Amino acid sequence: MSRPRILVINPNSNQRVTQGLEDALRPLGFEGGPEIICTTLAEGPYGIESQADADSVTMPLRRLVESDNSSAAFVIACYSDPGLHVCREATDRPVFGIAECGVLTALARADSFGVIAIAQRSIRRHMRYLRQMGLMDRLSGERPLNMSVAETASGEGTLARMIEVGRALKDEDGAGAIVMGCAGMARHRQALEQALGIPVIDPTQAAVTMALGTVQFAHH
């Protein structure tokens, strides 16, 4: 019997981000377990950094999910969770958004959480989502790196800036856990957690972990 597959979709067209996702998710692959496949949405912008960017990938994501008959679950690997609800409408298989899963995982690790955003203009979009989820009273704060998606994925100077912002969230805002607010930050999770001394959640790892449990229990 073939292994069930979890499809992780990077909604931006930056292949380097997809490669970073593959690297971050490698520890979740195990013998006999679901196959984890990362793919890039070719129609997506190079980085999802505005509401317009997020809205532009909604229907391409839905078409991708609708045309896929072989995946047991889907993960939308962008911290804006673009297209999450229209994709859930398009299939009876589970669809996970990394922002939702990342925040829920942080709440399981600490009373309060902080978010590292890519840019100041991302924060308003994230706050609107957290208000919809009813979680504002658990949020310590959100602070930006003021970098692009491509810059965070390239890695040069990113970790040092993430440590600086993470320390402010911990020491000044009182965050008990940190959520990395972009799929492109995935490669820095472990080093950031070691530097800060509190849980650091990579939202894609959190979402795929939830998908793994769901798929495994459905097939055993």
Side-chain angles (χ1 to χ4, degrees):
M1 195 174 75
S2 62
R3 294 161 63 194
R5 183 175 88 166
I6 296 168
L7 186 66
V8 181
I9 309 164
N10 170 21
N12 72 47
S13 55
N14 185 340
Q15 196 65 41
R16 186 154 191 168
V17 172
T18 308
Q19 182 61 55
L21 295 175
E22 289 177 354
D23 294 342
L25 295 173
R26 201 161 283 126
L28 293 176
F30 55 91
E31 190 176 350
E35 187 179 14
I36 300 169
I37 301 293
C38 296
T39 190
T40 309
L41 187 72
E43 306 100 305
Y46 196 63
I48 293 179
E49 297 172 7
S50 67
Q51 189 65 54
D53 290 337
D55 290 348
S56 74
V57 299
T58 297
M59 294 315 292
L61 281 167
R62 180 180 170 124
R63 286 192 291 271
L64 195 159
V65 167
E66 279 182 316
S67 65
D68 183 307
N69 297 314
S70 55
S71 297
F74 303 92
V75 172
I76 298 174
C78 168
Y79 196 74
S80 295
D81 286 354
L84 179 61
H85 299 294
V86 294
C87 288
R88 284 175 174 168
E89 205 175 64
T91 180
D92 57 1
R93 289 162 288 168
V95 183
F96 297 88
I98 67 167
E100 190 172 64
C101 295
V103 169
L104 293 175
T105 301
L107 294 177
R109 301 287 305 275
D111 287 336
S112 62
F113 68 97
V115 180
I116 299 177
I118 280 197
Q120 184 66 44
R121 66 176 178 166
S122 304
I123 293 178
R124 183 181 296 175
R125 187 168 71 254
H126 297 165
M127 291 291 187
R128 190 162 58 239
Y129 194 28
L130 288 173
R131 277 197 301 274
Q132 289 171 358
M133 292 173 71
L135 294 175
M136 290 298 287
D137 61 335
R138 301 284 293 275
L139 176 72
S140 295
E142 178 162 355
R143 292 176 180 247
L145 297 178
N146 289 321
M147 304 173 83
S148 69
V149 173
E151 284 172 330
T152 63
S154 71
E156 292 164 22
T158 306
L159 178 59
R161 177 70 182 136
M162 288 180 73
I163 291 171
E164 181 186 348
V165 173
R167 283 206 177 114
L169 286 165
K170 176 189 173 184
D171 298 338
E172 297 173 34
D173 300 337
I178 301 292
V179 180
M180 301 193 302
C182 176
M185 300 177 188
R187 68 186 72 232
H188 304 298
R189 192 209 69 81
Q190 193 169 14
L192 183 61
E193 184 170 271
Q194 288 171 347
L196 297 180
I198 58 174
V200 173
I201 312 300
D202 171 60
T204 308
Q205 290 175 337
V208 175
T209 299
M210 289 189 191
L212 268 174
T214 302
V215 170
Q216 279 289 89
F217 288 128
H219 287 78
H220 291 278

